């Protein structure tokens, strides 16, 4: 609510990976529904071939920045898939840290208005899937819904090593996302896919 009508920067640290990209897209989707102007930015390039393929195939709009002056027009900062505001670029002093959502270990000092750091789940995309399930459930399967769901599922799969390290929460999130993703596109990215029937069965089992 503090950022309504303001400009928000979602900054990805390091080389953007699927978990960070999917989480950023979900964060932007939530912000759009709250009338918050949002930009996804990164400093380091998207390096891995499968990650570049994900960005290209989903036609994702992310901005690479190299000069602190490019960030002067933003009011608030959100971090996804990281718990530190330390970056490879100097952040403007007026940029207020608003939210932090991550699945890595929480640092000693965290001054965000809102933080949700859960080391007990396998991916930050899992946390954002829970947010969307409660706040804005996929229903219309619009282009944007499909884009976000696809990126979230790819993020979960990647960070859990094709689900071999997945927790119950990760499987539950994946089961929620699976009916809404662009499966042919995920196959083109080049990772193995779990059949929809298997994912649905796992999701039902976890809910029992």
């Amino acid at each position: 609510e503090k950022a309504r009508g303001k400009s928000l920067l979602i900054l990805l640290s390091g080389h953007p990976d699927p978990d960070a990209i999917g989480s950023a897209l979900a964060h932007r989707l939530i912000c759009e529904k709250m009338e918050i102007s949002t930009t996804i930015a990164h400093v380091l390039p998207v390096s891995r071939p499968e990650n570049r393929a994900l960005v290209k195939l989903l036609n994702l709009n992310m901005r690479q920045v190299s000069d602190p002056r490019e960030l002067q027009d933003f009011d608030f900062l959100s971090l996804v898939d990281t718990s530190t505001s330390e970056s490879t670029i100097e952040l403007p002093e007026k940029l207020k840290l608003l939210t932090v959502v991550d699945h890595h270990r929480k640092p000693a000092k965290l001054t965000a208005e809102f933080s949700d750091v859960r080391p007990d789940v396998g991916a930050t995309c899992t946390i954002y899937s829970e947010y969307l399930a409660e706040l804005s459930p996929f229903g219309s399967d619009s282009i944007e819904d499909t884009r976000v769901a696809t990126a979230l599922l790819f993020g979960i799969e990647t960070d859990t090593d094709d689900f071999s390290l997945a927790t119950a929460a990760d499987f539950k999130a994946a089961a929620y996302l699976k009916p809404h993703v662009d499966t042919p596109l995920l196959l083109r990215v080049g990772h193995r896919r779990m059949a929809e029937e298997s994912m649905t069965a796992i999701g039902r089992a976890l809910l029992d």
Side-chain angles (χ1 to χ4, degrees):
E1 285 296 331
K2 286 189 176 183
R4 188 183 293 274
K6 303 290 185 177
S7 58
L8 173 72
L9 173 69
I10 303 174
L11 186 62
L12 308 185
S13 65
H15 297 278
D17 65 13
D19 194 28
I21 293 171
S23 298
L25 288 177
H27 194 97
R28 184 172 66 184
L29 182 62
I30 294 170
C31 287
E32 287 175 352
K33 296 181 181 300
M34 299 183 69
E35 301 176 356
I36 300 170
S37 174
T38 308
T39 298
I40 300 173
H42 57 101
V43 180
L44 301 179
V46 182
S47 57
R48 296 179 64 87
E50 63 270 25
N51 299 346
R52 292 198 299 270
L54 178 70
V55 171
K56 181 178 180 180
L57 292 172
L58 286 179
N59 192 27
L60 304 183
N61 181 21
M62 301 196 305
R63 173 179 169 186
Q64 186 169 3
V65 296
S66 58
D67 191 322
R69 289 174 294 184
E70 298 178 70
L71 308 179
Q72 290 293 337
D73 293 336
F74 295 98
D75 300 302
F76 292 99
L77 172 67
S78 284
L79 299 177
V80 298
D81 200 35
T82 182
S83 300
T84 175
S85 58
E86 295 180 2
S87 176
T88 52
I89 190 172
E90 184 178 353
L91 300 176
E93 289 186 7
K94 75 158 196 167
L95 196 58
K96 184 175 180 60
L97 181 58
L98 189 67
T99 66
V100 172
V101 181
D102 189 20
H103 75 111
H104 300 98
R105 186 175 298 278
K106 191 173 184 178
K109 294 182 179 180
L110 191 62
T111 57
E113 294 281 334
F114 170 84
S115 65
D116 187 359
V117 181
R118 306 185 207 172
D120 58 336
V121 301
T124 305
C125 283
T126 295
I127 302 172
Y128 274 99
S129 298
E130 292 181 9
Y131 293 165
L132 290 177
E134 293 188 15
L135 299 173
S136 180
F138 295 124
S140 61
D141 283 336
S142 64
I143 294 176
E144 184 62 17
D145 283 355
T146 299
R147 179 185 289 116
V148 173
T150 302
L152 285 171
L153 182 55
F154 188 65
I156 295 172
E157 179 181 5
T158 301
D159 257 38
T160 61
D161 195 13
D162 290 334
F163 295 101
S164 63
L165 302 176
T167 67
D170 301 317
F171 279 117
K172 183 178 178 180
Y176 165 68
L177 296 168
K178 187 62 175 70
H180 308 288
V181 305
D182 184 339
T183 301
L185 186 148
L186 284 176
L187 290 171
R188 292 179 63 186
V189 174
H191 274 234
R192 298 190 302 274
R193 296 288 153 249
M194 183 174 288
E196 181 172 345
E197 294 79 6
S198 300
M199 193 72 74
T200 301
I202 291 172
R204 288 174 178 171
L206 290 170
L207 290 173
D208 290 341

